[in-house]
Amino acid sequence: MPQRLMLLDTASLYFRAFFGVPDSIRRADGTPVNAVRGLLDMIARLTSDYGATHLVACWDDDWRPQWRVDLIPTYKSHRVAEALVGAPDVEVVPDALQAQVPMIRQVLRLAGIAVVGAASHEADDVIGSYASQAKLPVDVVTGDRDLFQVVDDARHVRVIYTAKGMKNLEIVTDAVVVGKYRVLPEQYADYATLRGDASDGLPGVAGIGEKTAASLLATYGTLDALLAAAIDPGSGLSVPVRSKLAASADYLAVAPVVVNVARGLALPTLEEAGARLRPVVGDPRLELERLATDWNLGGSVKRLLDALELRQ
């Protein structure tokens, strides 16, 4: 079987599972297990359909890193449930989902699925680093279009985009990014910086929307080149655009650091992380099968075990 690495934007997937599977599915003590069931089914299907031989469930060790907040205080601010000092802020997460996160960690461990996070970094940064350093073809599974910046046909890195649901998965390649946004994947972070993103609390440049951002990057290539043109009287850049960029100069000085995912984190190698998918045997299998009954996980555990049997 040709080797292929799959990187999961894990929180993106378990949030989708939580909202996509009825929360009436509960274990005997009343705790919902819909996100656990849904995530296991997603992993079983994704690894089988896309031929993954290695899998990393990338984790948000810090979903809102302070160094990003220091640069742009509004970064994800609307999603903060409780601000903490000296520890990651508490994210707004439904109680019924929060109760399932430890269960998700437990079943992933028993299934031998690598879970990797990085201190003071988001799962996106873990994904960006593995995708940039991998020697294997890579599939990134996410519902977050910010990760379109890692797409790279030349390095066989693509995104399996879940925004339209598991029945309507979209494989995002260079051509798809260009077709959707009229920018190359390597321009996507600059495009997002200019356009802004309300879902992440990024204001963007007032007066520059998607079409204008794409047009400017088509002409100048990069944000740095655009900003150089903005201070060059002979560049031909229009006065209105110069004014808009000048008004957002403070934002533009820091936003690229926030928007660009990390590429060079020192992470465990795939071997060190245990990313190679293998059949589950022995005590871990027995424990998973027990939890399938005790936690009312239905056929989700069996489907995952069957999928891993095929990864030999």
Side-chain angles (χ1 to χ4, degrees):
M1 178 183 295
Q3 294 193 337
R4 178 173 289 275
L5 170 62
M6 180 170 283
L7 302 171
L8 304 182
D9 182 1
T10 314
S12 169
L13 296 184
Y14 66 62
F15 266 90
R16 178 165 295 279
F18 176 76
F19 288 108
V21 179
D23 65 3
S24 57
I25 301 173
R26 297 170 180 259
R27 65 188 197 188
D29 65 0
T31 304
V33 292
N34 55 329
V36 185
R37 274 198 185 194
L39 180 62
L40 295 184
D41 279 336
M42 287 178 182
I43 294 173
R45 177 185 166 188
L46 288 162
T47 54
S48 296
D49 288 359
Y50 295 97
T53 56
H54 297 71
L55 178 69
V56 178
C58 301
W59 206 263
D60 285 318
D61 275 13
D62 190 339
W63 69 278
R64 188 175 182 249
Q66 188 61 46
W67 57 270
R68 282 191 164 110
V69 177
D70 289 343
L71 295 172
I72 299 181
T74 58
Y75 182 66
K76 296 186 177 181
S77 59
H78 60 295
R79 290 160 52 184
V80 176
E82 181 183 359
L84 301 178
V85 177
D89 291 336
V90 178
E91 185 179 9
V92 176
V93 178
D95 290 344
L97 173 56
Q98 189 64 55
Q100 298 182 64
V101 174
M103 292 190 280
I104 288 169
R105 291 292 298 248
Q106 186 171 349
V107 295
L108 293 179
R109 177 181 60 80
L110 290 170
I113 292 172
V115 176
V116 178
S120 300
H121 286 83
E122 302 170 55
D124 285 7
D125 300 309
V126 177
I127 289 169
S129 295
Y130 272 127
S132 299
Q133 300 170 30
K135 301 297 191 291
L136 311 178
V138 177
D139 284 333
V140 174
V141 185
T142 184
D144 185 353
R145 60 181 180 170
D146 288 346
L147 282 166
F148 290 174
Q149 63 185 277
V150 306
V151 170
D152 187 343
D153 284 2
R155 298 192 63 255
H156 307 288
V157 178
R158 60 188 187 178
V159 164
I160 300 172
Y161 192 45
T162 64
K164 295 180 180 178
M166 291 298 292
K167 293 183 179 179
N168 297 287
L169 296 173
E170 181 178 17
I171 297 178
V172 178
T173 60
D174 287 9
V176 172
V177 176
V178 172
K180 282 178 177 288
Y181 303 105
R182 295 188 300 149
V183 296
L184 296 166
E186 57 263 34
Q187 295 174 306
Y188 189 86
D190 286 349
Y191 167 80
T193 296
L194 289 166
R195 177 204 64 203
D197 189 341
S199 68
D200 280 340
L202 300 173
V205 176
I208 293 183
E210 294 189 352
K211 290 183 179 180
T212 303
S215 177
L216 291 170
L217 290 171
T219 301
Y220 296 98
T222 67
L223 178 59
D224 285 345
L226 172 62
L227 295 178
I231 59 174
D232 177 2
S235 69
L237 188 65
S238 72
V239 171
V241 171
R242 290 176 192 268
S243 297
K244 291 168 184 174
L245 294 173
S248 296
D250 290 345
Y251 163 76
L252 290 170
V254 297
V257 179
V258 175
V259 175
N260 280 276
V261 300
R263 304 287 185 134
L265 293 180
L267 300 172
T269 65
L270 297 182
E271 183 176 359
E272 290 168 344
R276 185 71 165 88
L277 292 174
R278 295 180 174 85
V280 183
V281 298
D283 290 342
R285 186 183 187 98
L286 292 175
E287 180 65 5
L288 270 177
E289 290 171 341
R290 184 186 69 80
L291 292 179
T293 299
D294 291 356
W295 287 1
N296 188 29
L297 298 180
S300 298
V301 166
K302 184 179 187 306
R303 285 187 286 274
L304 178 62
L305 291 173
D306 288 347
L308 295 177
E309 289 286 345
L310 302 175
R311 305 271 69 81
Q312 299 184 72

